[in-house]
Amino acid sequence: MSGLTVLKRALLITLAAGIAMFSTEAVAGDARNVNFAAFQKVDPNFEFDPIVLGKFSDFIAVMDGAQILILSHTADSINNDVINIQQDVLRQGKDGLGDVGINCQLSYLDESTPESTSYEIGGFCKILDVGDGRENKLLAIIPMTGLPDTAQGVDAWVMLYEDEASGTAFYANVSVH
């Protein structure tokens, strides 16, 4: 790993810690929008970053070596919501029923106080490519992960999970608009 890569990772980890501890005037229990995106590599040399800075258009531009599979904006999420995200295609093929897509069940926690924000998401996603001789099934276990809040003035997306074999990665953040 180059010195620049190590420095960049250290900066990103420090930024994530700062985001998690940043003080806010928000009241605990305020609803937030949970933003979730899934990408798959189209360029085998492309590397997903653990944290991507910038507004939404910057985030998409950085992913130039990957294609977007899902983009979800779950409005007005509150503590203990379960967010279901599903996008798949069921198809009758020569070998029977096929299923291609992503199906996620994610738990959202908002443990914010008047002094600081704390948002987390975790759960699992199934990545399916089944039918016509394909039997690719992956269950991605996503540990509870702290999410940056764009309302705090830092536009950032945090990687929740990466499967190197399929080239799939999930990212998320929270926002108020």
Side-chain angles (χ1 to χ4, degrees):
M1 215 187 288
S2 74
L4 182 58
T5 302
V6 171
L7 180 61
K8 184 177 178 183
R9 285 184 187 253
L11 178 62
L12 293 174
I13 290 168
T14 303
L15 175 64
I19 290 170
M21 297 178 67
F22 194 85
S23 180
T24 180
E25 295 177 13
V27 178
D30 283 354
R32 287 291 191 266
N33 303 319
V34 176
N35 305 302
F36 177 88
F39 293 89
Q40 187 171 41
K41 289 182 185 183
V42 292
D43 175 355
N45 297 317
F46 179 75
E47 295 290 327
F48 291 111
D49 285 325
I51 297 175
V52 179
L53 300 176
K55 297 208 178 285
F56 178 72
S57 58
D58 302 318
F59 173 56
I60 296 299
V62 166
M63 299 296 180
D64 64 345
Q67 64 183 349
I68 192 159
L69 300 176
I70 281 181
L71 179 60
S72 174
H73 174 83
T74 305
D76 298 328
S77 296
I78 59 172
N79 189 38
N80 291 319
D81 277 356
V82 175
I83 300 170
N84 291 303
I85 302 169
Q86 180 177 358
Q87 180 173 321
D88 62 345
V89 175
L90 299 174
R91 174 179 304 135
Q92 183 65 41
K94 61 184 175 209
D95 297 333
L97 188 62
D99 190 356
V100 177
I102 296 175
N103 187 342
C104 301
Q105 289 77 44
L106 304 169
S107 296
Y108 171 71
L109 296 179
D110 175 356
E111 296 178 341
S112 298
T113 67
E115 293 78 36
S116 67
T117 60
S118 176
Y119 307 103
E120 293 185 332
I121 198 166
F124 65 91
C125 292
K126 295 176 190 173
I127 304 170
L128 303 167
D129 185 10
V130 177
D132 290 334
R134 297 180 316 273
E135 229 6 86
N136 302 321
K137 296 179 184 178
L138 172 69
L139 179 61
I141 307 295
I142 300 171
M144 292 306 288
T145 303
L147 298 178
D149 181 4
T150 63
Q152 300 304 308
V154 178
D155 289 308
W157 290 76
V158 173
M159 184 191 305
L160 304 174
Y161 179 88
E162 178 181 7
D163 178 59
E164 292 184 12
S166 68
T168 305
F170 304 131
Y171 286 83
N173 70 13
V174 295
S175 63
V176 292
H177 58 289

